[in-house]
Amino acid sequence: MNLSDIADQYADRFLEKYSQRLLPSQLKALNAIRGCRTPASGMTLLECNGCQFREQKPLSCGHRHCNRCQNTDTSEWLQRQRQKLLPVEYFMVTFTLPAQLRALAWQHQRQVYDLLFRTAADTLKQFGANSKKLDADLGMTGVLHTHSRRLDYHPHIHFVVPGGGINTRRKEWRKLTGHYLFNGKNLAMVFRAGLLRALDEQGLLSLSLKTRLPKQWVVNCKRVGKGLPALEYLSRYLYRGVISDNNILASKRGKVTFSYLNSETGKKETRTLPGEDFLWLVLKHVLPKRFRRLRDYGFLHSNAKKQLSLVQLVLNVMVKAVEPVIRPQFKCRHCGAAMKHIAFSFLKPT
């Protein structure tokens, strides 16, 4: 089973039930998923380098929410992040939006997601500057996720933070000692106050909603080793859809069954939904147009390459040249030689 087949199978029922709630960006994502690797996404004409055999093949849709595309972009992003790795402990800090604010986030996605990024990053910067152990400007990479493993709407941001920072007053690198960054409960208190203040300034926070909010929010801060495991975890979800085709188990009697890993028990579980509801669950996580779900801050920002280079020089980091990602090539089904692209078109295959 794959998501494209599911989308084709249940598209009519889905549009009949959810057309009034469907956003243009979600409809565009649905059409892209349905047309991925079909003539609807365009065709490419290939010619064999060995026997000059010619063949037409369909193109990928290239949509960022399609779970069959963007694998090369993911590999290229991971390679770029490896260039920024430092020989320090890394931490993953996860800021979670409470359930009471999820309806507000859904109604004002671009505004709330931007405020979520800004407030979470400001919280980490504030703790880095005020920490007696650091007293430094941090670098961090944040990625927005809007789904839980069950695919429910659950906005949260993962930040990967190196255990160290730059003290600009003394112009020195401050390395964190030990396996502890910040207290999650203290982070949550400052994050809660900052986000509520930002929402109130934007006129998004009503008094009735504010009184229903919990006093304690959830911010998880844990050590993840030398950084690469955390980046690899994020890369699996960065440029791909919210569910892999491997996790779609069955489509029978109008219902779709998929598997997911229960984060509390560590065991795989299954969930079964009507086909149209499954599609709605997937499309709820389509982000607003041109919204950046990944953002770098501090000395990891693209505008701070000089700072990062100085830090790597101080820490004696040997940076290897980025090797280009080898894109997959088609091979001739007659002689096995590589085939080259010679034309693109939207013609149906002959």
Side-chain angles (χ1 to χ4, degrees):
M1 298 299 301
N2 60 63
L3 185 59
S4 178
D5 293 337
I6 298 294
D8 269 338
Q9 185 176 355
Y10 296 103
D12 292 340
R13 287 166 52 178
F14 169 76
L15 293 174
E16 182 180 352
K17 183 174 182 178
Y18 290 103
S19 59
Q20 299 300 318
R21 302 167 63 183
L22 202 60
L23 299 175
S25 57
Q26 295 170 330
L27 181 60
K28 184 177 180 180
L30 175 64
N31 292 333
I33 292 170
R34 294 182 66 184
C36 186
R37 300 183 187 180
T38 70
S41 294
M43 303 293 294
T44 178
L45 180 61
L46 303 171
E47 183 179 80
C48 177
N49 291 328
C51 63
Q52 280 71 55
F53 170 74
R54 289 190 173 189
E55 184 177 14
Q56 291 190 49
K57 286 187 177 293
L59 298 172
S60 300
C61 65
H63 197 280
R64 65 172 172 169
H65 293 287
C66 176
N67 66 347
R68 305 173 72 182
C69 296
Q70 312 297 333
N71 182 63
T72 303
D73 290 336
T74 301
S75 300
E76 290 176 346
W77 176 83
L78 189 56
Q79 281 196 352
R80 291 195 299 270
Q81 295 304 310
R82 282 174 175 163
Q83 296 292 107
K84 300 180 181 181
L85 285 176
L86 302 175
V88 298
E89 295 291 332
Y90 276 72
F91 300 84
M92 181 177 287
V93 188
T94 304
F95 294 84
T96 303
L97 200 67
Q100 291 81 355
L101 286 176
R102 290 173 192 167
L104 178 68
W106 173 252
Q107 295 169 0
H108 306 276
Q109 293 181 35
R110 188 179 296 275
Q111 287 176 276
V112 175
Y113 294 162
D114 274 328
L115 293 177
L116 188 59
F117 260 116
R118 190 179 72 190
T119 308
D122 287 347
T123 300
L124 286 172
K125 291 177 183 178
Q126 180 180 338
F127 272 70
N130 296 336
S131 171
K132 293 181 179 179
K133 295 187 295 182
L134 280 176
D135 186 20
D137 296 334
L138 299 178
M140 63 196 88
T141 297
V143 176
L144 171 70
H145 287 163
T146 62
H147 59 93
S148 67
R149 295 184 178 182
R150 285 171 48 88
L151 299 189
D152 293 318
Y153 187 63
H154 184 262
H156 58 282
I157 293 181
H158 295 292
F159 278 94
V160 178
V161 187
I166 300 174
N167 186 299
T168 54
R169 294 191 308 275
R170 296 190 177 185
K171 297 182 179 180
E172 64 182 11
W173 170 258
R174 293 284 183 87
K175 182 178 179 180
L176 184 71
T177 57
H179 303 318
Y180 177 82
L181 184 62
F182 303 128
N183 182 281
K185 291 183 178 180
N186 293 340
L187 286 169
M189 290 175 59
V190 176
F191 172 63
R192 180 185 187 275
L195 185 59
L196 292 183
R197 182 171 57 253
L199 290 172
D200 197 28
E201 291 172 355
Q202 294 284 333
L204 299 176
L205 191 63
S206 64
L207 181 61
S208 59
L209 177 58
K210 189 174 182 179
T211 57
R212 297 199 307 269
L213 293 174
K215 297 295 182 182
Q216 293 184 347
W217 290 15
V218 177
V219 176
N220 182 266
C221 182
K222 64 179 181 180
R223 184 173 65 95
V224 290
K226 294 300 180 182
L228 190 56
L231 292 172
E232 289 176 341
Y233 167 80
L234 291 177
S235 71
R236 291 198 297 268
Y237 302 96
L238 182 58
Y239 292 104
R240 304 296 293 273
V242 296
I243 187 171
S244 166
D245 285 340
N246 295 331
N247 290 342
I248 302 176
L249 304 180
S251 175
K252 298 179 180 178
R253 303 182 186 91
K255 294 186 177 182
V256 176
T257 301
F258 67 93
S259 65
Y260 66 93
L261 185 67
N262 189 313
S263 56
E264 295 181 359
T265 64
K267 297 180 179 179
K268 276 198 171 184
E269 299 182 4
T270 61
R271 185 177 183 183
T272 301
L273 295 167
E276 61 273 22
D277 294 341
F278 170 76
L279 284 180
W280 175 242
L281 205 61
V282 170
L283 293 174
K284 282 180 72 173
H285 307 295
V286 173
L287 295 175
K289 188 177 181 179
R290 296 190 181 93
F291 184 86
R292 293 184 297 114
R293 66 180 303 176
L294 181 144
R295 305 183 185 187
D296 294 323
Y297 298 88
F299 59 83
L300 294 181
H301 193 274
S302 58
N303 292 336
K305 292 180 180 179
K306 185 176 180 180
Q307 272 190 323
L308 178 61
S309 297
L310 290 173
V311 170
Q312 291 176 329
L313 181 64
V314 170
L315 298 178
N316 196 25
V317 177
M318 299 299 293
V319 180
K320 297 181 179 179
V322 177
E323 297 180 0
V325 176
I326 299 176
R327 295 179 177 268
Q329 290 186 336
F330 292 104
K331 290 188 177 181
C332 178
R333 52 192 171 95
H334 290 288
C335 67
M339 302 185 75
K340 61 181 179 181
H341 299 266
I342 63 172
F344 294 92
S345 71
F346 284 86
L347 299 176
K348 293 185 179 181
T350 56

